């Protein structure tokens, strides 16, 4: 790890003098995954400004590599506030509907990484992009790439952890349940759990068959025939499904009856 941090620092110092930054961004993106969780911010403001400008330039050949670097820097707690101050949020949001699948995936994962584990960051991201819920819902409605579906479900779920009613009003329930029923993943299950915390969302979830869909996830969690890492996903989905069912059945005799009929409650 010390050698990786040393290589990371050397590359950062060399970055301003490089005529082509594509390879450097790619190497930094790889090395940034090994940064310690704590410690000083990984990069300075000048480099972040350079990255932000690269994300906004449609003709920039190093854009994909710069985006990968932002995506891998975003989980680093001390660097999150600097990324936001540098202005990466709006360029990332604009890339959500880019025709290039890889750019869409990396932009969605970068936003999720930025928001994860930091409630203040969720609030700041939603302030900078007030229609983020609508953009993510549109992406879920139109996206066929499973990796992007998972990433957008995760981002929408993180947003719902602070603004579940906003996600409901944006129409997030229908596409999230569609993901759960078609290609179940822990990210969509967690998003449904967070949305179900909004009282107004529970009726819609019931009408769209959420109880039955969540009940099936409980059975997947009990099935030990999956290989790793699918079994981990199944157990995680079952945990989130149980939480969502608890939210749905609270003070709702109809939801409780349907959960019993689905075999979700013993």
């Amino acid at each position: 790890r010390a050698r990786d941090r040393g290589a990371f620092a050397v590359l950062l110092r060399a970055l301003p003098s490089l005529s082509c930054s594509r390879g450097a961004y790619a190497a930094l993106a790889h090395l940034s995954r090994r940064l310690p969780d704590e410690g000083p911010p990984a990069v300075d403001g000048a480099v972040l400004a350079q990255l932000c400008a690269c994300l906004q330039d449609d003709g920039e050949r190093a854009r994909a590599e710069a985006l990968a670097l932002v995506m891998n820097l975003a989980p680093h707690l001390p660097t999150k506030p600097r990324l936001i101050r540098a202005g990466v949020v709006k360029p990332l949001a604009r890339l959500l509907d880019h025709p290039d699948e890889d750019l869409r995936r990396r932009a969605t994962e970068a936003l999720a990484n930025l928001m994860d584990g930091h409630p203040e960051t969720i609030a700041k991201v939603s302030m900078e992009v007030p229609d983020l819920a609508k953009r993510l819902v549109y992406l879920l409605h139109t996206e066929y790439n499973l990796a992007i579906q998972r990433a957008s479900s995760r981002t929408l779920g993180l947003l719902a952890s602070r603004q579940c009613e906003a996600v409901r009003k944006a129409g997030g329930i229908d596409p999230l349940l569609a993901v759960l029923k078609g290609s179940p993943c822990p990210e969509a299950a967690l998003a449904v759990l967070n949305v179900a915390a909004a009282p107004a969302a529970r009726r819609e979830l019931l009408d769209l068959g959420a109880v039955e869909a969540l009940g099936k996830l409980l059975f997947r969690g009990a099935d030990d025939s999956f290989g790793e890492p699918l079994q981990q996903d199944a157990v995680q989905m079952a945990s989130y499904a149980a939480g969502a069912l608890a939210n749905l059945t609270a003070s709702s005799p109809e939801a409780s009856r349907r959960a019993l009929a689905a075999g979700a409650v013993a």
Side-chain angles (χ1 to χ4, degrees), residues 202-203 206-207 211-212 248-249 251-261:
R202 293 170 193 161
R203 180 71 258 170
L206 284 176
D207 291 343
V211 169
E212 292 75 14
L248 284 173
T249 55
S251 305
S252 174
E254 179 189 351
S256 298
R257 286 194 300 270
R258 289 172 63 170
L260 283 167

Side-chain angles (χ1 to χ4, degrees), residues 50-262:
Q50 183 177 341
L51 281 172
C52 188
C54 187
L55 295 183
Q56 297 179 77
D57 186 351
D58 290 334
E60 175 56 64
R61 290 187 299 169
R63 181 193 251 183
E65 290 76 18
L67 186 51
L69 177 54
V70 170
M71 180 181 75
N72 291 342
L73 285 173
H76 190 240
L77 283 174
T79 306
K80 288 177 188 283
R82 286 199 170 193
L83 284 166
I84 292 176
R85 286 198 298 271
V88 302
V89 174
K90 289 181 179 178
L92 290 175
R94 283 194 290 270
L95 289 171
L96 293 179
D97 61 358
H98 196 279
D100 185 285
E101 275 192 357
D102 194 47
L103 291 181
R104 289 201 307 277
R105 177 187 62 80
R106 289 179 178 180
T108 312
E109 290 186 3
L111 282 169
N113 288 345
L114 201 59
M115 296 162 69
D116 202 0
H118 206 289
E120 286 186 16
T121 303
I122 297 175
K124 289 177 180 177
V125 168
S126 60
M127 285 178 63
E128 288 208 27
V129 188
D131 65 342
L132 181 60
K134 289 183 179 179
R135 294 184 189 217
L136 291 166
V137 167
Y138 177 79
L139 184 60
L140 266 185
H141 268 303
T142 58
E143 189 57 65
Y144 293 97
N145 183 294
L146 294 181
I148 301 175
Q149 284 184 0
R150 292 188 69 154
S152 52
S153 295
R154 179 181 167 220
T155 312
L156 202 55
L158 288 165
L159 189 60
S161 70
R162 300 280 292 183
Q163 300 182 13
C164 53
E165 182 61 13
V167 171
R168 182 194 72 82
K169 287 183 176 179
I173 292 175
D174 184 40
L176 284 170
L177 283 178
V179 172
L180 273 190
K181 294 174 183 178
S183 305
C185 61
E187 295 83 356
L190 178 59
V192 170
L193 166 61
N194 289 339
V195 173
R202 293 170 193 161
R203 180 71 258 170
E204 187 177 350
L205 284 162
L206 284 176
D207 291 343
L208 291 172
V211 169
E212 292 75 14
L214 292 166
K216 290 179 180 179
L217 296 186
L218 292 181
F219 295 123
R220 288 173 68 98
D223 185 350
D224 60 2
S225 64
F226 297 109
E228 293 287 349
L230 292 179
Q231 181 61 29
Q232 289 182 351
D233 276 1
V235 171
Q236 199 172 26
M237 280 191 290
S239 174
Y240 295 148
L245 283 167
N247 281 339
L248 284 173
T249 55
S251 305
S252 174
E254 179 189 351
S256 298
R257 286 194 300 270
R258 289 172 63 170
L260 283 167

